[in-house]
């Protein structure tokens, strides 16, 4: 059976699959990234994992994978196949596409940014299916975005498109790692809510999920923290809506796991802020933590579809 290798590399773990042309997952596996061993060891682990998947494909499907797709965090030069920089993994200018292709016997390899790759999957086969324009925004440790246009993800002229987390929504606000102050992700990411709730309730280990539960139980302190984050998020999203005019706005990541505790007030807050803009459908992501891996598979199949036969 013809298939591709899909690999989603995260800061702590990797998810992988063998994916058939119709999207069927023929095999799934997970492995620790092992970043504590250093950048070179992580790159070697990725290659080893991909090589194992190649062997499994030969055994189970009767042939080698036709291509591979890999999604990685940080700054990615997808056109040239280079993992430029990832703070969490400690690498710089890794020629990931060339390394993997060589290790996998010369098969073509597609490299993608983790959030944009996850957005590709959500747009085509997840919550954005059928939408010609969408914006995928995962709310996790930080906040990023993927701009979907006609089944493709817009990377921008330099690969930085969609960085909605660094829209300044509160000038002079908390310092952000990017060097600005008051960025969206310093106020409305899962990490930001965790910090704010831990300070408000006096429990250092409290996190965003605990805050959501406290909101549901009627805790006024939690409600104040929660609504402050939602207000900042709505401000950032309305800026994005004004610029991009998406038909569907897909919210994912850890914060979205709060369900309607997040979505009901968020929809209200966005609606209160729009004037001439058309409101998009605001929906939860559908694919969970498999989005990146599924998207990597789509990248691989897209690569095969654009190859010119020899």
């Amino acid at each position: 059976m013809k298939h591709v290798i899909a690999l989603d590399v995260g800061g702590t773990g990797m998810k992988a699959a063998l994916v058939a042309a119709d999207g069927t997952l023929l095999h799934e596996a997970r492995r620790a990234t092992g970043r504590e061993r250093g950048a070179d060891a992580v790159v070697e682990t990725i290659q080893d994992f991909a090589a194992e998947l190649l062997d499994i494909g030969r055994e189970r499907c009767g042939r080698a994978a036709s291509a591979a797709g890999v999604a990685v965090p940080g700054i990615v030069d997808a056109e040239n196949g280079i993992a430029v920089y990832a703070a969490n993994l400690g690498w710089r200018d890794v020629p990931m596409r060339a390394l993997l292709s060589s290790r996998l016997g010369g098969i073509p390899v597609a490299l993608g940014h983790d959030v944009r790759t996850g957005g590709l999957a959500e747009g085509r086969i997840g919550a954005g299916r059928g939408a010609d324009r969408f914006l995928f925004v995962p709310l996790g440790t930080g906040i990023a975005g993927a701009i979907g246009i006609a089944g493709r993800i817009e990377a921008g002229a330099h690969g930085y498109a969609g960085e909605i987390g660094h829209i300044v929504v509160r000038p002079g606000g908390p310092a952000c790692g990017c060097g600005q102050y008051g960025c969206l992700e310093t106020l409305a990411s899962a990490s930001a809510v965790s910090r704010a709730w831990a300070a408000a309730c006096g429990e250092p280990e409290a996190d965003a999920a605990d805050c959501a539960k406290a909101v549901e139980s009627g805790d006024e302190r939690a409600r104040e923290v929660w609504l402050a984050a939602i207000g900042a998020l709505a401000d950032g999203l309305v800026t994005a809506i004004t610029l991009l005019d998406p038909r569907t706005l897909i919210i994912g990541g850890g914060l979205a796991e709060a369900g309607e505790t997040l979505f009901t007030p968020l929809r209200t807050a966005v609606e209160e802020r729009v004037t001439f803009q058309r409101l998009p459908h605001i929906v939860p992501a559908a694919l969970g933590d498999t989005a990146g891996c599924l998207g990597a598979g789509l990248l691989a199949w897209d690569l095969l579809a654009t190859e010119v036969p020899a």
Side-chain angles (χ1 to χ4, degrees):
M1 180 181 291
K2 191 172 183 179
H3 64 280
V4 298
I5 294 168
L7 187 58
D8 177 24
V9 179
T12 58
M14 296 185 288
K15 294 175 283 290
L18 300 178
V19 187
D22 63 358
T24 301
L25 298 179
L26 306 174
H27 173 76
E28 294 179 77
R30 297 191 181 220
R31 178 168 297 178
T33 304
R35 62 182 177 180
E36 69 281 354
R37 296 179 294 118
D40 291 343
V42 169
V43 173
E44 187 64 31
T45 298
I46 293 168
Q47 294 181 78
D48 290 345
F49 199 14
E52 286 181 24
L53 291 162
L54 186 71
D55 290 340
I56 290 169
R58 286 196 184 100
E59 294 170 8
R60 299 192 179 185
C61 303
R63 58 179 293 170
S66 300
V70 58
V72 298
I75 299 171
V76 179
D77 179 352
E79 184 177 351
N80 293 304
I82 298 171
V84 178
Y85 175 69
N88 287 339
L89 298 175
W91 64 38
R92 286 184 181 273
D93 298 321
V94 177
M96 190 68 73
R97 183 171 66 198
L99 289 173
L100 279 173
S101 182
S102 176
R103 186 65 178 273
L104 298 175
I107 66 172
V109 174
L111 180 69
H113 179 272
D114 56 353
V115 173
R116 288 196 287 270
T117 302
L120 177 67
E122 282 288 354
R124 284 201 202 167
I125 61 177
R129 184 196 294 263
D132 56 344
R133 299 286 192 281
F134 70 88
L135 177 63
F136 169 57
V137 181
L139 309 173
T141 303
I143 298 178
I147 303 164
I149 302 173
R152 300 281 177 178
I153 300 297
E154 173 57 49
H158 307 96
Y160 296 166
E163 290 291 348
I164 185 175
H166 298 291
I167 291 175
V168 174
V169 293
R170 299 290 182 268
C176 181
C178 77
Q180 299 187 114
Y181 293 86
C183 287
L184 179 60
E185 72 173 40
T186 68
L187 297 151
S189 63
S191 297
V193 173
S194 294
R195 287 193 299 270
W197 177 233
C201 73
E203 294 289 341
E205 300 302 316
D207 61 15
D210 297 323
C211 185
K213 291 174 185 174
V215 170
E216 292 160 8
S217 68
D219 188 305
E220 189 57 35
R221 296 171 305 168
R223 184 173 183 275
E224 185 176 337
V225 167
W226 196 250
L227 292 182
I230 286 175
L233 179 57
D235 287 341
L237 292 177
V238 170
T239 298
I241 290 167
T242 305
L243 289 172
L244 302 173
D245 187 26
R247 199 172 305 278
T248 303
L249 181 53
I250 306 165
I251 307 295
L255 217 56
E257 294 175 8
E260 287 307 312
T261 300
L262 172 71
F263 283 94
T264 296
L266 178 60
R267 291 185 183 108
T268 298
V270 171
E271 187 170 2
E272 288 173 349
R273 285 162 170 76
V274 299
T275 53
F276 67 90
Q277 304 93 333
R278 294 291 297 272
L279 270 174
H281 299 291
I282 301 177
V283 300
L287 303 177
D289 72 350
T290 65
C293 193
L294 292 168
L298 292 173
L299 287 179
W301 284 113
D302 285 356
L303 184 60
L304 290 173
T306 58
E307 282 195 322
V308 178

